[in-house]
Amino acid sequence: MGRGEGARGARRTRVVRLKRVYDPPEPELDGVRVLVDRLWPRGLSKEAAGVDEWAKSVAPSGELRKWFHGGGSVAEFRERYAVELRAEEAVSELSRLRAVAAGGPVTLLTAVKDPAASHAGVLAALLASS
């Protein structure tokens, strides 16, 4: 069997990257660039961002974001965020993003300083594994 193939036949490995939206686009690597923040990043034009899609429905709610920045724990944030991702609109968007990732590389973009330790890291793991 070739790379990414399982017992059920050919299956392509999903490539899901994480990147700060403030970092310059890398067209040869990024594939489809998806902003996964609820708010547009400060001080960044749409042209400079090079965003292909904006998936607001899978971003943490404003309430969850405020709670976390007010001193909430990372572990509890992940639990609460997982609950939000079970909402119908989020489930639908995750399904759509999985299909996009099955067709080629996807780069999840966020304004946070450490994308891997943020909600974007949670999303990347969900998209790459399921």
Side-chain angles (χ1 to χ4, degrees):
M1 277 184 236
R3 187 175 150 199
E5 290 181 355
R8 295 182 190 169
R11 191 171 145 221
R12 187 173 181 174
T13 301
R14 293 187 188 117
V15 176
V16 181
R17 300 178 71 216
L18 292 173
K19 195 175 205 181
R20 290 196 76 218
V21 70
Y22 297 105
D23 294 338
E26 297 176 279
E28 67 282 355
L29 297 174
D30 289 346
V32 178
R33 293 170 51 86
V34 181
L35 180 64
V36 293
D37 290 345
R38 194 159 298 271
L39 304 173
W40 188 262
R42 290 183 183 178
L44 190 64
S45 71
K46 291 186 179 182
E47 295 75 32
V51 170
D52 297 311
E53 300 180 15
W54 188 1
K56 293 179 192 179
S57 63
V58 294
S61 67
E63 296 81 21
L64 180 55
R65 204 176 76 252
K66 288 175 189 171
W67 171 84
F68 181 68
H69 290 297
S73 73
V74 171
E76 190 171 346
F77 169 83
R78 288 177 179 260
E79 289 175 19
R80 290 180 180 201
Y81 184 45
V83 170
E84 289 187 355
L85 290 175
R86 291 186 201 118
E88 186 177 337
E89 189 178 3
V91 168
S92 176
E93 183 65 5
L94 283 169
S95 178
R96 191 189 69 74
L97 288 172
R98 283 185 188 101
V100 172
V106 169
T107 298
L108 302 181
L109 304 168
T110 181
V112 301
K113 292 182 180 171
D114 185 0
S118 75
H119 69 287
V122 173
L123 288 173
L126 282 172
L127 294 175
S129 69
S130 55

